[in-house]
């Protein structure tokens, strides 16, 4: 596929990645996935409630979509590493979206715990995609540790505030050779388009789609936003200027 | 014997194995005392008094 996103040697079918958390009804999932056509979807790992495997996995496995388990809610490297290992066993995938949360109110990542957990999981053969602050120095440390991508946050998880610091995201893109996936904070397709225009390789959206008034229509809009932003990145936007530059000919004006 | 299963203390027979806790192991994983027990060992792994067992699966999440 032309202009395909490749992570850890695996070609993904789309640059929109989708979180499954927050849907008001699981019965919406099929329609949301049809509309978003995501390259992969994330799931969380939680204690069983005794009901056996739910229709979530059934739906995802029936569709053959790549599943990326996360370590959401883990507050230490130790918890995140154990959760990743459980996810690998449960879902038979080496891929993990690594989250080590440093603060339960802001849900911001713990950078030190993140590097520690990433190093251990890479040694253990995982394909690690760390959810990280938008910091080029940390991004390089994570890439050097062997992470397959880095996932800088645009703004806090679930906030819908978009990209609060576009320059920081751009500097992460410039700092690493691995794909940069904008994660967290997306509120609308314009945010996703901006992330892609800044050079992100993909966007992960969850709440922005699943908690929209109409998740299916927002999934479609988000897909258009990602595609538009990617196309714009490849097309090369004009430089910003402080002054006007006429687009109509100066010669031949009446009068 | 007593084990802690997903945070709850339970009384179980001393012959309980990991597989006995999992009526349907599809999409599930088990850790005993912080170590993952691979699927192929579920039938043989005998639990001990005081074991802390986590049984997890995938749920909707970002």
């Amino acid at each position: 596929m032309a202009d395909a996103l490749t992570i850890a040697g695996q070609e993904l079918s789309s640059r929109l990645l989708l979180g499954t958390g927050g849907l008001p009804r699981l019965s919406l999932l099929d329609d949301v996935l049809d509309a978003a056509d995501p390259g992969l979807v994330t799931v969380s790992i939680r204690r069983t409630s005794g009901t056996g495997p739910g229709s979530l996995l059934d739906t995802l496995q029936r569709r053959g979509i790549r599943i990326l388990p996360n370590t959401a809610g883990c507050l230490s490297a130790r918890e995140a590493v154990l959760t990743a290992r459980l996810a690998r066993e449960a879902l038979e995938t080496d891929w993990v979206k690594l989250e080590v949360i440093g603060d339960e109110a802001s849900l911001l990542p713990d950078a030190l715990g993140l590097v520690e957990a990433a190093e251990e999981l890479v040694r253990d053969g995982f394909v690690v995609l760390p959810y990280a602050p938008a910091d080029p120095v940390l991004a390089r440390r994570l890439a050097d540790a062997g992470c397959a991508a880095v996932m800088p946050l645009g703004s806090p998880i679930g906030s819908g505030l978009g990209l609060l610091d576009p320059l920081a995201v751009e500097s992460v893109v410039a700092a690493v050779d691995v794909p940069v996936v904008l994660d967290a904070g997306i509120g609308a397709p314009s945010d996703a388009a901006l992330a892609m225009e800044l050079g992100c390789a993909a966007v992960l959206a969850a709440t922005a789609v699943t908690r929209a008034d109409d998740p299916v229509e927002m999934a479609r809009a988000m897909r258009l936003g990602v595609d538009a932003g990617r196309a714009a990145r490849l097309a090369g936007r004009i430089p910003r200027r402080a002054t006007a530059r006429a687009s109509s000919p100066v010669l031949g004006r009446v009068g | 014997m007593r084990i802690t299963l997903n945070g709850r203390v339970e009384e179980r027979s001393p012959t309980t194995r990991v597989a006995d806790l999992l009526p349907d192991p599809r999409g599930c994983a088990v850790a005993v005392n912080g170590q993952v027990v691979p699927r192929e060992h579920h039938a043989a792994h005998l639990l001990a008094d005081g074991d802390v067992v986590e049984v997890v699966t995938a749920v909707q999440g970002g």
Side-chain angles (χ1 to χ4, degrees), chain B residues 45-58:
Chain B
H45 190 114
L46 204 55
L47 293 172
D49 189 47
D51 274 353
V52 177
V53 185
E54 298 282 343
V55 182
V56 301
T57 191

Side-chain angles (χ1 to χ4, degrees), chain A residues 77-94:
Chain A
R78 187 186 58 78
E79 283 176 25
V81 167
L82 176 58
T83 301
R85 288 180 175 144
L86 284 164
R88 176 162 68 180
E89 178 69 16
L91 301 171
E92 296 171 13
T93 175
D94 291 330

Side-chain angles (χ1 to χ4, degrees), chain A residues 190-204:
Chain A
S190 51
D191 301 324
L194 175 59
M196 299 304 291
E197 288 169 26
L198 295 174
C200 291
V203 165
L204 180 94

Side-chain angles (χ1 to χ4, degrees), chain A residues 19-23 26 42-48 52-53 56-58 70 82 85-86 89-92 97 99 204 206, chain B residues 6-8 22-31 34-40 42 54-62:
Chain A
T20 56
L23 272 180
L26 190 57
T42 63
V43 298
S44 295
I45 299 298
R46 291 291 180 268
R47 288 170 168 171
T48 54
L56 172 66
L57 270 186
D58 291 342
N70 67 29
L82 176 58
R85 288 180 175 144
L86 284 164
E89 178 69 16
L91 301 171
E92 296 171 13
K97 177 186 158 188
E99 297 186 33
L204 180 94
Chain B
N6 285 350
R8 276 199 328 270
L22 285 175
D24 183 352
R26 285 180 306 140
C28 292
V30 179
Q35 299 292 319
V36 175
V37 180
R39 198 175 301 268
E40 58 272 23
H42 285 186
E54 298 282 343
V55 182
V56 301
T57 191
V59 300
Q60 286 174 254

Side-chain angles (χ1 to χ4, degrees), chain A residues 2 15 25 28 52 82 105 115 134 137 142 149 169-170 179 222 234 255:
Chain A
R15 292 174 182 273
R25 299 185 305 282
L28 282 169
L82 176 58
V115 173
V137 179
L142 291 164
V169 172
E170 207 165 20
M222 205 59 78
L234 296 177

Side-chain angles (χ1 to χ4, degrees), chain A residues 92-229:
Chain A
E92 296 171 13
T93 175
D94 291 330
W95 288 38
V96 64
K97 177 186 158 188
L98 179 62
E99 297 186 33
V100 181
I101 299 302
D103 173 57
E104 286 189 276
S106 67
L107 299 179
L108 290 173
D110 172 347
L112 299 184
L114 196 60
V115 173
E116 181 189 341
E119 287 175 342
E120 183 163 355
L121 289 170
V122 168
R123 272 197 302 274
D124 201 9
F126 280 87
V127 172
V128 180
L129 292 79
Y131 161 67
D135 173 345
V137 179
L138 178 63
R140 201 177 295 128
R141 285 287 304 272
L142 291 164
D144 289 347
C147 291
V150 290
M151 305 183 78
L153 61 95
S155 51
I157 292 173
S159 69
L161 290 172
L163 278 63
L164 291 179
D165 190 348
L167 291 179
V169 172
E170 207 165 20
S171 66
V172 168
V173 170
V176 296
D177 292 327
V178 295
V180 174
V181 180
L182 198 286
D183 182 16
I186 296 289
S190 51
D191 301 324
L194 175 59
M196 299 304 291
E197 288 169 26
L198 295 174
C200 291
V203 165
L204 180 94
T207 309
V209 170
T210 59
R211 296 207 165 113
D213 288 345
D214 182 343
V216 176
E217 192 58 9
M218 188 58 85
R220 192 177 74 82
M222 205 59 78
R223 131 120 271 136
L224 293 170
V226 167
D227 287 350

